[in-house]
Amino acid sequence: MIDLRPFSTLGGANHGWLDAKHHFSFAGYHDPARMGWGNIRVWNDDVIAPKSGFPPHPHRDMEIITYVREGAITHKDSLGNLGRTEAGDVQVMSAGTGITHAEYNVEDVETRIFQIWIQPTSRGVAPSWGARPFPKGERSGRFVTLASGFAEDTDALRIRTDARIVAASVKAGETIDYALGKERRGYLVPATGAVTIDGVKVNTRDGVAITDVDTLRVTAVEDSELILVDGA
């Protein structure tokens, strides 16, 4: 099953400093048909104005993954972590028993991020944070795992959940496959470009919910940058 969720149908709100679109119910946007997808609870498409950001606020028992599309995000948390994550790179935060964090765009340009929340498989564990670069050249024409809850994904950032976050850069006319598995739930968003999946065209920032698919086959209509969550 391929269920297209066009960008124009997403919920959201423009707060001036933050223009947020929500693939699933979040904050003031509530759609009982879009409460999540498997263990994926949140996928926010955020545009953050220069010299602004999210002030300190708490979380617990949630895996929060931030993929930076443009600009950079600066993170600070109650564990003493401080880091700056640039476009194409990823940070993960396991909220665990509780963590307070702030995310700021200290740049002179807009920062654009996908923020993804996935429900953890275990609770009552200590919080943690991590980030790392993922050169786009390494994901040219193939999916590369950015963050994973599976031990075999040794090069990925660790998350405490039954999920992987993967990314690919695909040239126009190129086709790539991902072995999803019929029992899994996928959610794919092109950060840039446009692709087709099973005859369905998916444009930039559209979402597509995928289930009952052994092998996901994606063909690029334009040069595209893809983010996919392989969830339970």
Side-chain angles (χ1 to χ4, degrees), residues 139-144 166-179 188 195-198 215-221 224-228:
R139 58 181 99 149
S140 179
R142 66 189 184 107
F143 282 105
V144 170
V166 301
S169 299
V170 193
K171 297 291 187 183
E174 188 174 19
T175 296
I176 61 171
D177 291 343
Y178 181 80
L188 182 144
V195 300
T196 60
I197 302 173
D198 197 22
T215 300
L216 178 64
R217 176 157 290 181
V218 183
T219 300
V221 178
S224 302
E225 179 184 345
L226 310 177
I227 307 299
L228 167 68

Side-chain angles (χ1 to χ4, degrees), residues 54-58 76 100-104:
F54 300 91
H57 58 284
K76 186 175 182 180
T100 297
H101 75 129
E103 307 289 338
Y104 289 113

Side-chain angles (χ1 to χ4, degrees), residues 1-231:
M1 186 189 79
I2 306 296
D3 180 19
L4 179 67
R5 283 93 180 273
F7 180 75
S8 61
T9 70
L10 303 183
N14 191 331
H15 304 280
W17 67 273
L18 171 67
D19 187 2
K21 295 294 185 181
H22 310 311
H23 285 261
F24 307 112
S25 295
F26 186 84
Y29 165 62
H30 180 76
D31 181 345
R34 294 186 180 178
M35 293 303 296
W37 184 244
N39 58 354
I40 307 166
R41 178 60 190 85
V42 170
W43 189 312
N44 288 345
D45 180 328
D46 292 338
V47 181
I48 307 167
K51 311 299 182 185
S52 67
F54 300 91
H57 58 284
H59 292 280
R60 65 177 299 134
D61 291 324
M62 191 65 70
E63 302 300 294
I64 299 174
I65 302 96
T66 303
Y67 181 86
V68 182
R69 294 152 47 213
E70 296 179 24
I73 199 77
T74 296
H75 168 96
K76 186 175 182 180
D77 65 40
S78 53
L79 301 178
N81 294 307
L82 178 65
R84 179 176 176 273
T85 305
E86 299 181 347
D89 299 339
V90 179
Q91 67 172 15
V92 300
M93 188 175 74
S94 294
T97 53
I99 189 170
T100 297
H101 75 129
E103 307 289 338
Y104 289 113
N105 174 15
V106 300
E107 315 301 317
D108 295 322
V109 297
E110 287 181 342
T111 287
R112 297 171 179 262
I113 64 172
F114 290 146
Q115 189 177 97
I116 300 161
W117 296 14
I118 306 176
Q119 295 170 349
T121 52
S122 59
R123 296 174 181 266
V125 293
S128 65
W129 175 85
R132 62 162 291 186
F134 287 92
K136 290 187 179 181
E138 296 179 2
R139 58 181 99 149
S140 179
R142 66 189 184 107
F143 282 105
V144 170
T145 304
L146 308 180
S148 174
F150 299 98
E152 61 265 32
D153 295 326
T154 55
D155 292 334
L157 287 161
R158 307 308 304 160
I159 51 177
R160 299 163 178 161
T161 188
D162 181 5
R164 287 185 178 93
I165 295 87
V166 301
S169 299
V170 193
K171 297 291 187 183
E174 188 174 19
T175 296
I176 61 171
D177 291 343
Y178 181 80
L180 182 64
K182 286 193 173 184
E183 76 286 358
R184 305 287 292 174
R185 291 185 180 229
Y187 199 85
L188 182 144
V189 180
T192 61
V195 300
T196 60
I197 302 173
D198 197 22
V200 177
K201 187 177 182 184
V202 188
N203 292 309
T204 301
R205 301 166 78 187
D206 289 352
V208 59
I210 305 149
T211 190
D212 197 28
V213 171
D214 266 332
T215 300
L216 178 64
R217 176 157 290 181
V218 183
T219 300
V221 178
E222 309 166 5
D223 291 357
S224 302
E225 179 184 345
L226 310 177
I227 307 299
L228 167 68
V229 174
D230 169 356

